């Protein structure tokens, strides 16, 4: 069946098109009685406003484009839930696209969103952050980077306090009595990896513990990468008694590697992750990790974007604190237990 239009409502109500349009908007130029009558006719006729027509009048589409590395990434999934929640509360729709962590594809997706006339764009884990300064000079579409992975300054971004959170995680291991503490990072040189290593390094220096290069390994942010990096650490003549991992996926791989070598957690080795993904609590043993407020970060990115759309002041670089969640994957080393 054909969808009812404003013309149909005007004919049934015996009024002009402009009167129907004003009544549906609740204009003060139309009497309350007329507004009620026209809205009732519209409801009975199954009328639905056209988003396309409304965007022509307002120059807004009420849509936000969101670029994620992959919808299979548990971190991205949690962030998107926060974005959708905040967007829905403000009557915005979300269009989602994958970049697959490829800089060229990320830029293609952003430009495609711009061509689709989205009102704003949120890019998670951007690999090309520095490029957006030039892009913003060419377009009026506001862009907010969430968990920017390119070490550069950007006008508007949302991130966690990586350095402070990583320092706290490493200090937890030091407080337990560990001295041989390793770090498994991300070999791709992401900004978050640089900052988390800085926090790890800072905690060791404050405790007068040496930073041993053989205790610094690199994966690729996946469980497979954590598995191989952990295997190399366990093969050292004097392996570490504790490991701080770049993220939870790396930690899950490290746990798998220890099981293959007959190393027990936490009696032989303590492991700390970063993110607090939903299934971290169900690992064997449950994983001690730094909790990122992923959904809150998504909500904050939307709020920042809407401030930019409204032209109201907003802080350029928003940082949120992490929280150390202590579970059963960490304990004092055997020699002092």
């Amino acid at each position: 069946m054909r969808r009812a239009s404003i013309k149909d409502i005007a004919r049934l109500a015996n009024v002009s098109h402009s009167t129907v349009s004003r009544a549906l908007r609740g204009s003060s130029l139309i009497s309350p009685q007329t507004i009620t009558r026209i809205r009732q006719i519209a409801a009975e006729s199954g009328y639905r406003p056209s988003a396309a027509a409304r965007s022509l009048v307002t120059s807004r589409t009420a849509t936000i484009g969101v670029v994620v590395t992959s919808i299979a990434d548990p971190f991205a999934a949690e962030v998107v839930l926060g974005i959708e929640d905040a967007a829905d509360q403000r009557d915005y729709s979300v269009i989602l696209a994958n970049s697959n962590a490829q800089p060229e594809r990320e830029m293609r997706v952003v430009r495609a969103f711009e061509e689709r006339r989205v009102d704003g764009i949120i890019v998670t884990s951007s690999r090309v952050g520095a490029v957006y300064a030039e892009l913003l000079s060419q377009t009026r579409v506001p862009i907010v980077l969430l968990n920017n992975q390119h070490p550069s300054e950007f006008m508007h971004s949302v991130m966690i306090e990586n350095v402070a959170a990583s320092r706290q995680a490493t200090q937890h291991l030091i407080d337990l009595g560990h001295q041989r503490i390793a770090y498994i990072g991300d070999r791709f040189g992401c900004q978050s990896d640089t900052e988390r290593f800085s926090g790890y390094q800072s905690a060791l220096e404050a405790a007068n513990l040496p930073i041993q290069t053989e205790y610094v390994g690199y994966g690729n942010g996946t469980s497979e990468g954590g598995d191989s990096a952990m295997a190399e650490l366990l093969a050292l003549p004097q392996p570490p008694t504790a490991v701080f991992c770049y993220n939870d996926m790396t930690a899950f791989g490290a746990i798998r590697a220890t099981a293959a070598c007959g190393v027990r957690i936490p009696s032989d080795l303590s492991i700390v992750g970063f993110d607090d993904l939903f299934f971290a609590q169900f690992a064997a043993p449950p994983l001690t990790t730094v909790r990122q407020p992923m959904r809150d970060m998504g909500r904050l990115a939307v709020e920042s974007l809407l401030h930019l759309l409204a032209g109201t002041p907003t802080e350029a670089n928003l940082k949120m604190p992490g929280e150390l969640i202590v579970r059963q994957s960490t304990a004092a080393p055997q020699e002092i237990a």
Side-chain angles (χ1 to χ4, degrees):
M1 295 178 63
R2 184 176 65 87
R3 177 183 292 183
S5 66
I6 284 183
K7 289 183 180 180
D8 298 322
I9 307 305
R11 177 176 52 79
L12 292 170
N14 196 27
V15 296
S16 67
H17 302 163
S18 59
T19 297
V20 172
S21 181
R22 291 191 184 102
L24 293 175
R25 295 199 308 269
S27 171
S28 60
L29 299 175
I30 309 297
S31 70
Q33 295 85 354
T34 302
I35 289 176
T36 300
R37 185 168 68 90
I38 289 175
R39 286 183 172 176
Q40 182 176 353
I41 292 172
E44 292 172 350
S45 302
Y47 170 77
R48 295 291 183 274
S50 168
R54 184 169 58 244
S55 69
L56 291 173
V57 176
T58 64
S59 297
R60 294 282 178 86
T61 60
T63 57
I64 296 173
V66 178
V67 186
V68 298
T69 52
S70 169
I71 57 173
D73 180 356
F75 174 87
E78 286 292 317
V79 166
V80 169
L81 286 173
I83 290 173
E84 289 186 323
D85 181 51
D88 181 63
Q89 290 177 10
R90 293 158 180 81
D91 296 323
Y92 272 78
S93 298
V94 172
I95 303 176
L96 190 65
N98 289 319
S99 70
N100 292 340
Q102 299 172 5
E104 299 82 5
R105 178 164 175 162
E106 181 182 324
M107 291 306 301
R108 287 200 306 271
V109 170
V110 168
R111 291 194 175 100
F113 277 150
E114 180 192 352
E115 291 171 2
R116 288 175 177 269
R117 299 180 63 231
V118 298
D119 292 341
I121 299 171
I122 297 173
V123 184
T124 70
S125 304
S126 173
R127 261 57 180 182
V128 292
V131 175
Y132 289 108
E134 179 182 351
L135 185 64
L136 284 171
S137 68
Q138 303 169 5
T139 177
R140 295 183 179 180
V141 177
I143 300 173
V144 173
L145 301 187
L146 194 155
N147 197 29
N148 180 21
Q149 294 300 328
H150 191 285
S152 63
E153 291 297 323
F154 183 72
M155 292 181 63
H156 293 93
S157 64
V158 176
M159 287 195 74
I160 190 172
E161 288 278 8
N162 278 306
V163 176
S166 299
R167 187 186 301 120
Q168 183 184 16
T170 308
Q171 187 61 51
H172 167 65
L173 295 171
I174 294 170
D175 291 342
L176 287 172
H178 293 279
Q179 295 187 358
R180 302 198 307 273
I181 303 172
Y183 174 76
I184 300 179
D186 188 320
R187 70 169 65 99
F188 296 114
C190 298
Q191 181 177 356
S192 55
D193 172 65
T194 301
E195 293 181 352
R196 290 171 197 177
F197 178 74
S198 177
Y200 159 83
Q201 189 176 34
S202 174
L204 292 183
E205 289 174 347
N208 294 316
L209 293 175
I211 297 170
Q212 299 172 261
T213 55
E214 65 268 29
Y215 286 163
V216 179
Y218 290 96
N220 58 2
T222 68
S223 61
E224 290 78 12
D227 190 326
S228 59
M230 187 73 250
E232 291 179 7
L233 290 171
L234 292 174
L236 291 172
Q238 192 174 38
T241 62
V243 180
F244 171 45
C245 297
Y246 164 73
N247 63 8
D248 283 355
M249 296 303 295
T250 298
F252 297 147
I255 290 173
R256 185 169 60 212
T258 60
C261 295
V263 175
R264 299 165 300 170
I265 300 174
S267 56
D268 298 328
L269 179 76
S270 288
I271 293 183
V272 177
F274 200 108
D275 284 339
D276 194 29
L277 300 177
F278 173 73
F279 33 85
Q281 60 189 309
F282 302 116
L287 183 65
T288 294
T289 185
V290 173
R291 175 175 293 165
Q292 288 207 70
M294 293 171 278
R295 295 195 188 188
D296 288 342
M297 291 169 74
R299 295 185 187 103
L300 190 58
V302 172
E303 291 173 10
S304 179
L305 196 63
L306 295 183
H307 279 302
L308 292 173
L309 285 169
T312 55
T314 181
E315 190 174 342
N317 298 298
L318 299 165
K319 292 207 171 184
M320 304 187 72
E323 179 187 1
L324 180 66
I325 306 298
V326 178
R327 297 194 179 100
Q328 286 77 56
S329 68
T330 53
Q334 278 192 333
E335 53 262 36
I336 67 169

